[in-house]
Amino acid sequence: MLKLKNVDVLYGKFMAVKQVSINVKKGEIVALIGSNGAGKSSLLKAVSGLCSSVKGELIFEDQDLKSYKCHDRVCEGIIHVPEGRKLFPRLTVMENLQMGAYSKKARSSSKETLAKIFQIFPRLEERKNQLAYSLSGGEQQMCAIGRGLMSLPKLLLLDEPSLGLAPNLVKLVFDTVKAINKEGITILLAEQNSTMSLKYSDRFYILESGNMVNEQSKDSLASDADIKKKYFGLA
Amino acid sequence: MFLQNLVNGIFVGAMYGLTASGLSLIFGVLNIVNFAHGEFIMIGMYITYFAGALLGVNPILSVLISVPVMLILGVLVERFLINRIINSSDMAQIFLTVGLGLVLSNLALIFIGGNYYSVRVGYATESLKLGSLLIGKASFLTFIVTVITFIVVSMMLKYTFIGKAIRATSQDRTTAQLMGVNTGFIYTVAFGLGMVLVAISAALLTIMFPVYPNIGNHFVVICFVIVVLGGLGSLPGALVGGVIVGVIEILCGYYFSMGWKDVVPFLVLIICLLVRPQGIFGTRT
Amino acid sequence: MKKIWLTVLAALLAVSLAGCGGSNKAETTEGNQGDGGGDIKLGVILPLSGNLALLGNEIMDAINIAADMKNKSGGINGKKIVTERADAPDPNAGSTQANRLVNTENIKMLMGTYSSGIAAASVPVAMRANATYVEVNAVADEITGQGYKYIWRNVATASMMGSNASKFAAEYIAPKLNLTPEKLKVAIIHEDSSWGTSVSNGVRTKAEEYNLNIVCDESYSSKSTDLSPLILKMTKAKPDVVIASSYIADAILLQKQAKQFDFRPKAWIGTSAGHALGDYAGSLGQDAEGIFVSDLPGIVSDNGLDKDAAQLKQEFLTAWKASHETVPSGVTFGAFCGAWTFFNDVLPQCKTFDAEEIRNIYLGLDIELGSLPDGTGVKYGQNGQNERATIVVEQWQNGALVAVWPDNYAAAQPASLPLPAYK
Ligand SMILES: Nc1ncnc2c1ncn2[C@@H]1O[C@H](COP(=O)(O)OP(=O)(O)OP(=O)(O)O)[C@@H](O)[C@H]1O
Ligand SMILES: [Mg+2]
């Protein structure tokens, strides 16, 4: 579904991502793992179109993504739930969700989508008239994911959904991600929380200072003790 | 007399609020301080003046002409000029809008000349009597139009899809893009809408003030004060800030000294910034 | 980034082109370039662009008409007067232009300046370079109050304009209203820049001399967007006469708001500036009728002029009308007369044209009142102020400003006293 080949991401002269190639198949949960500054967010931004200086090939459903502007990629079915939620602070929960359905395609069926999202996150319905900045961290993350789903995406880019959440909430978020995935939405996930990512993803890529160091599936990891130790703290 | 002054203050304040609203909206969404605001007011006033002088159109009805003209002008200015500096340094933005203002006022000087033109309508100097209270028809009209305009624009921002997109963009332009909002388009819309507000306020100002190439200077300082006081980019803030400034200014002028009247807005602003740096309706960033 | 800067530069370029349109060009007043060395060069510093351009350009025209007339009748002992125009829309530009003229172009005779603020910047530059400066309009008292040796102002000062208003109120209005001056209630209001302040000082001093009853004395900013508190204060103080020193936008606003709040004194006297502009009456229509203006003399009755002056006035008006639709205002007349005296009475006596020589000539001039088209005469004090500058009171009658007082200059009788109630 999504194919990146030899992708560079540049901020001015600084190269945040170097020659990275990844491949996400329909229906998968794929995780990008790496420490701070590894380039995970930058890679997601390259896919959603927030980074203007991107080299290499970006193919989404056989189309060259680079010919689409950032806001047009939403129509094509890519939605990016950014790091730190980035809700619109002075819009209500409801309005935030509606903004998710801004693209023409999603707008017409936004009522039904909304009902579905309130099913997944009943908490959001209770708080629908509350201004987003006053939500708790967990609620904000739900709202951010809900807002992303409002666009009826084919591919959901999730950047650090567990950031700043208590362990039980982290689990809840990942469970929800899994559930969403079951509904047929492909997920590309950037996470520092490697243990959880490992548990919930089908495959993962490891980034280190902009370079891709490894691609693994769950099964192959079992046999790679080095990686296990270095990135997952497993013995 | 107190009541009379209070009413006058509210009317003046409403006029301030409306005059500042375009500046506030544009700043809120585009994050650009439009130093050419006064010159756009000037253009709006000329349109109203010429509509009256050449076509016999009443200043109030002249908005039927000036609103579309200013909208188009706003769209063109945004597309061809503002657009290019939207992500540039403050310095570039200041240069561009200040320069634009200078160009506009000098163009007016060259093509229209330095004369002071006024429309002459009876209601400019007539009043309604409410007991001992005198209510200037022009001030009252301005007040009504201001209230209606604020209600309409607020509803539009609150309930329409494009209105929500405008607010979302003003709060977080990057994320708005991620949600599929064509922010470039939103900037154009917001700038055009700002110009519509300018056109409406300019039409009303023309009832009381003569228009000449630098008339904008009369209003622009107070507009900046109000936008900061009300909270950068907040429309209700502009109205409330305007009324506060208007009332205090008028009361000060009457009970204290006319000489201090025009200093007062700055004092109010300074006090407000000490107590509430983000302005009355503003939010911290 | 490059694009941005290009845009900005383009904007700035356009500004400078728009702003300085036509400046810095030497103009011969007869059309084609003069033959260089033989000309007498005069730098003229005026706001030809910007806020003040309207009258600035009219003044430039008046000076050029004077030069033209002199050149046509043989020039200065055969030499032609050539004016070098220097656009100074603001004080900064005033000092820059004065610098350019005296130091770069080496022109040692300057004329200007209309705005007192600009004059305050350009005159000192000329004085430091020992150049002659003929001030033909700016009225601020300070210009001739600094002890400069080479400044020559033919028109009256701001405070003279103010004191004349009080004099008119005491000597003419009070008797007409059957009041003694002590009983005449006066409101003094003025915009609070240095101009309005110095005019109102003249108003106040003279009013106190006459023992007028000052019931209200207020300053305000000319950029005020609302003057209702001032009107309400006056409503309460009930003055018979308002003496207002205003620029134009505020003068118009004052009148409109006075009517809004039904404030109608028996007489309203403006001191030059805003109240004297054609646009004042144009903006107010009927509401300007009957307003008095204490002003530099514009078109005065021929009764106050000697024969040559009346003739010269006709020649000036004919030349003026060839290129203008409006009648020249007091400032414009002042410019013509100041320039004419310089061209006709000073320059022909010059040998070296240096400032000291010109000073001696100026101090020696003694020309009776009524010898110039605006009714003034010439007699300079050591400070460079023409002591025979005069002030008249004009009144808006049927949309035109006509001289009504004192008698010998009056082209019509004062009317609408007291002012009729609003319709
Ligand atoms: N807008 C930017 N301008 C310049 N450099 C940037 C920008 N955004 C990110 N970088 C740099 O790019 C590198 C990769 O950043 P990125 O945000 O992609 O890392 P990350 O893997 O998401 O880290 P984290 O886990 O902390 O979120 C970092 O060194 C960062 O400083
Ligand atoms: Mg990141």
Side-chain angles (χ1 to χ4, degrees):
Chain A
M1 175 180 238
L2 178 72
K3 251 201 198 104
L4 307 192
K5 208 168 150 196
N6 300 334
V7 168
D8 296 340
V9 178
L10 291 118
Y11 298 108
K13 282 199 177 124
F14 176 74
M15 204 183 266
V17 172
K18 297 163 208 155
Q19 296 287 310
V20 168
S21 304
I22 67 171
N23 191 358
V24 180
K25 289 193 219 90
K26 202 167 156 50
E28 278 187 317
I29 300 182
V30 174
L32 295 170
I33 291 167
S35 56
N36 290 108
K40 308 180 294 290
S41 300
S42 303
L43 197 60
L44 294 190
K45 286 181 192 165
V47 177
S48 64
L50 269 190
C51 288
S52 48
S53 186
V54 177
K55 288 185 189 144
E57 273 180 46
L58 288 99
I59 310 288
F60 179 69
E61 296 195 317
D62 302 326
Q63 300 191 70
D64 179 14
L65 263 190
K66 281 162 104 182
S67 60
Y68 288 90
K69 291 220 179 79
C70 180
H71 57 262
D72 290 330
R73 295 187 194 183
V74 178
C75 264
E76 295 307 304
I78 298 178
I79 197 77
H80 182 167
V81 178
E83 188 173 349
R85 291 78 158 165
K86 297 287 163 61
L87 295 178
F88 301 112
R90 276 157 292 128
L91 295 190
T92 61
V93 169
M94 190 67 175
E95 287 169 337
N96 264 286
L97 293 175
Q98 286 167 340
M99 279 313 296
Y102 185 80
S103 64
K104 283 231 168 59
K105 183 188 73 177
R107 212 180 293 184
S108 53
S109 52
S110 67
K111 282 232 169 65
E112 297 91 77
T113 325
L114 192 67
K116 233 191 221 157
I117 283 162
F118 283 155
Q119 239 173 24
I120 307 175
F121 303 112
R123 202 50 187 273
L124 290 183
E125 187 161 22
E126 288 165 31
R127 313 232 153 224
K128 66 182 176 192
N129 293 321
Q130 193 172 330
L131 290 182
Y133 74 85
S134 61
L135 293 175
S136 76
E139 290 162 349
Q140 286 193 12
Q141 188 61 60
M142 292 174 200
C143 188
I145 294 176
R147 183 178 63 178
L149 293 177
M150 285 294 287
S151 70
L152 301 175
K154 295 176 191 160
L155 174 66
L156 181 66
L157 308 174
L158 266 180
D159 200 346
E160 312 247 10
S162 70
L163 192 76
L165 298 185
N168 59 332
L169 273 178
V170 172
K171 185 168 179 316
L172 179 75
V173 166
F174 273 97
D175 283 340
T176 316
V177 169
K178 193 92 201 170
I180 293 165
N181 178 245
K182 287 241 166 69
E183 301 268 313
I185 296 172
T186 310
I187 290 169
L188 178 59
L189 178 80
E191 259 298 349
Q192 283 191 52
N193 188 332
S194 43
T195 344
M196 288 304 271
S197 323
L198 175 66
K199 213 156 125 196
Y200 283 87
S201 62
D202 302 315
R203 287 187 301 121
F204 54 90
Y205 292 87
I206 297 171
L207 289 177
E208 199 178 277
S209 1
N211 295 302
M212 202 179 72
V213 292
N214 220 314
E215 179 198 342
Q216 300 274 356
S217 69
K218 258 188 216 176
D219 313 325
S220 61
L221 181 71
S223 59
D224 199 329
D226 258 13
I227 297 278
K228 246 166 129 172
K229 201 159 163 194
K230 192 164 168 202
Y231 292 97
F232 301 98
L234 304 173
Chain B
M1 267 310 176
F2 176 78
L3 192 63
Q4 178 75 64
N5 279 298
L6 186 68
V7 169
N8 290 351
I10 292 172
F11 286 167
V12 173
M15 172 187 90
Y16 286 168
L18 184 62
T19 311
S21 59
L23 183 69
S24 180
L25 181 78
I26 289 170
F27 179 80
V29 181
L30 285 82
N31 202 16
I32 278 187
V33 180
N34 180 15
F35 284 99
H37 185 67
E39 282 69 28
F40 286 116
I41 293 176
M42 177 264 301
I43 294 174
M45 289 179 75
Y46 271 120
I47 297 173
T48 295
Y49 168 75
F50 283 116
L54 305 178
L55 309 171
V57 180
N58 193 295
I60 293 300
L61 295 179
S62 76
V63 293
L64 296 177
I65 300 169
S66 67
V67 163
V69 173
M70 291 294 284
L71 178 64
I72 292 168
L73 178 70
V75 167
L76 293 178
V77 167
E78 203 286 327
R79 285 278 86 176
F80 292 106
L81 293 175
I82 304 294
N83 207 332
R84 294 166 198 272
I85 49 148
I86 204 122
N87 293 316
S88 310
S89 67
D90 289 352
M91 211 50 200
Q93 301 182 346
I94 292 169
F95 263 101
L96 183 90
T97 57
V98 170
L100 179 64
L102 286 170
V103 170
L104 291 175
S105 63
N106 276 290
L107 285 179
L109 194 65
I110 291 166
F111 291 107
I112 307 175
N115 281 85
Y116 297 77
Y117 294 114
S118 296
V119 287
R120 278 173 19 208
V121 283
Y123 58 83
T125 52
E126 288 165 8
S127 292
L128 305 166
K129 250 194 151 93
L130 268 182
S132 64
L133 207 58
L134 282 171
I135 295 184
K137 284 187 184 170
S139 320
F140 186 63
L141 189 73
T142 305
F143 180 75
I144 297 291
V145 173
T146 300
V147 171
I148 294 175
T149 307
F150 270 90
I151 291 176
V152 170
V153 174
S154 305
M155 302 275 266
M156 190 224 119
L157 288 179
K158 180 107 190 109
Y159 295 112
T160 65
F161 239 94
I162 189 107
K164 282 175 201 159
I166 287 175
R167 282 189 295 145
T169 305
S170 82
Q171 291 172 27
D172 187 340
R173 50 173 77 171
T174 312
T175 311
Q177 260 180 328
L178 286 183
M179 295 304 118
V181 176
N182 181 349
T183 48
F185 175 69
I186 293 295
Y187 294 150
T188 311
V189 170
F191 202 89
L193 186 59
M195 286 302 117
V196 168
L197 291 171
V198 166
I200 296 171
S201 65
L204 293 164
L205 291 175
T206 314
I207 300 171
M208 288 306 282
F209 298 93
V211 49
Y212 67 106
N214 285 301
I215 184 69
N217 294 350
H218 284 248
F219 308 109
V220 77
V221 174
I222 201 87
C223 286
F224 281 112
V225 169
I226 286 168
V227 168
V228 179
L229 180 69
L232 294 168
S234 159
L235 275 191
L239 187 56
V240 172
V243 170
I244 289 175
V245 168
V247 168
I248 296 180
E249 203 184 290
I250 297 295
L251 291 179
C252 168
Y254 186 79
Y255 290 104
F256 188 44
S257 140
M258 279 303 286
W260 279 85
K261 178 176 163 280
D262 298 84
V263 183
V264 165
F266 292 96
L267 294 180
V268 175
L269 180 67
I270 290 167
I271 293 168
C272 171
L273 290 184
L274 288 175
V275 180
R276 204 179 147 78
Q278 70 272 40
I280 301 169
F281 278 65
T283 40
R284 274 171 213 272
T285 41
Chain C
M1 275 310 273
K2 268 187 204 143
K3 261 189 196 163
I4 295 148
W5 286 106
L6 277 181
T7 318
V8 172
L9 287 177
L12 291 177
L13 184 67
V15 172
S16 52
L17 288 180
C20 316
S23 72
N24 304 355
K25 269 178 273 159
E27 282 189 356
T28 63
T29 45
E30 282 186 317
N32 50 12
Q33 294 299 118
D35 38 23
D39 296 338
I40 296 173
K41 271 199 170 180
L42 173 72
V44 182
I45 301 177
L46 284 168
L48 301 169
S49 65
N51 233 346
L52 304 169
L54 182 64
L55 273 175
N57 282 292
E58 289 200 354
I59 291 160
M60 187 72 227
D61 295 344
I63 293 170
N64 276 334
I65 288 174
D68 249 350
M69 285 166 60
K70 190 67 198 167
N71 286 341
K72 281 205 180 108
S73 60
I76 311 297
N77 304 323
K79 289 183 187 168
K80 243 191 298 175
I81 304 162
V82 177
T83 54
E84 164 101 9
R85 28 188 284 164
D87 179 20
D90 54 54
N92 257 337
S95 75
T96 314
Q97 291 285 30
N99 237 319
R100 177 178 72 85
L101 292 171
V102 294
N103 296 327
T104 314
E105 313 260 329
N106 208 21
I107 297 175
K108 295 295 186 194
M109 294 182 290
L110 303 184
M111 193 176 279
T113 325
Y114 177 37
S115 149
S116 294
I118 300 169
S122 58
V123 170
V125 176
M127 294 303 111
R128 277 198 296 274
N130 289 332
T132 296
Y133 202 112
V134 182
E135 180 54 70
V136 293
N137 335 81
V139 292
D141 293 54
E142 300 86 64
I143 293 173
T144 49
Q146 313 261 9
Y148 294 136
K149 275 175 80 185
Y150 306 126
I151 176 85
W152 309 99
R153 170 162 58 187
N154 63 304
V155 293
T157 63
S159 58
M160 285 163 78
M161 216 128 53
S163 48
N164 188 61
S166 290
K167 190 172 170 203
F168 175 65
E171 292 186 1
Y172 186 86
I173 294 180
K176 279 279 168 187
L177 298 175
N178 292 320
L179 294 170
T180 57
E182 301 81 57
K183 283 269 163 63
L184 189 75
K185 285 183 281 180
V186 179
I188 302 172
I189 59 177
H190 63 94
E191 65 83 30
D192 58 9
S193 77
S194 84
W195 174 79
T197 308
S198 52
V199 178
S200 74
N201 284 339
V203 175
R204 198 173 300 109
T205 312
K206 203 69 173 180
E208 282 162 358
E209 248 172 61
Y210 278 104
N211 264 323
L212 301 180
N213 180 10
I214 301 171
V215 292
C216 176
D217 191 339
E218 285 275 344
S219 69
Y220 65 86
S221 154
S222 64
K223 293 237 160 77
S224 274
T225 45
D226 185 274
L227 293 166
S228 65
L230 183 56
I231 300 292
L232 292 178
K233 275 185 169 176
M234 290 198 287
T235 305
K236 214 169 139 195
K238 299 196 176 59
D240 300 305
V241 181
V242 174
I243 302 177
S245 309
S246 312
Y247 291 130
I248 180 145
D250 46 327
I252 293 170
L253 188 62
L254 270 174
Q255 242 8 279
K256 285 190 173 179
Q257 294 204 300
K259 193 173 179 191
Q260 242 179 18
F261 294 101
D262 202 27
F263 168 71
R264 188 68 151 168
K266 299 195 175 74
W268 185 295
I269 310 171
T271 55
S272 189
H275 287 89
L277 292 179
D279 289 335
Y280 176 74
S283 292
L284 291 169
Q286 191 58 35
D287 296 334
E289 285 297 298
I291 304 289
F292 292 109
V293 185
S294 170
D295 199 3
L296 303 179
I299 299 180
V300 297
S301 155
D302 283 354
N303 296 339
L305 305 180
D306 69 22
K307 239 177 74 197
D308 289 349
Q311 162 97 33
L312 191 59
K313 180 176 110 178
Q314 274 324 313
E315 279 177 43
F316 170 56
L317 286 178
T318 312
W320 181 264
K321 278 174 188 152
S323 52
H324 297 83
E325 285 166 12
T326 54
V327 284
S329 63
V331 244
T332 316
F333 257 100
F336 175 79
C337 294
W340 181 257
T341 303
F342 188 57
F343 300 152
N344 194 56
D345 301 301
V346 177
L347 289 182
Q349 298 188 44
C350 287
K351 295 195 174 58
T352 61
F353 297 93
D354 77 23
E356 197 56 40
E357 181 194 46
I358 291 176
R359 177 177 169 84
N360 288 328
I361 298 170
Y362 258 118
L363 289 177
L365 290 178
D366 184 350
I367 303 174
E368 286 305 308
L369 273 174
S371 309
L372 283 164
D374 60 354
T376 58
V378 182
K379 178 74 196 160
Y380 281 90
Q382 292 290 328
N383 62 355
Q385 173 62 39
N386 181 8
E387 287 158 4
R388 291 193 187 140
T390 51
I391 307 265
V392 295
V393 172
E394 300 161 316
Q395 188 178 33
W396 285 107
Q397 294 182 358
N398 301 317
L401 204 52
V402 290
V404 294
W405 191 83
D407 249 359
N408 55 331
Y409 294 130
Q413 282 304 304
S416 315
L417 189 64
L419 289 166
Y422 294 118
K423 278 185 213 109

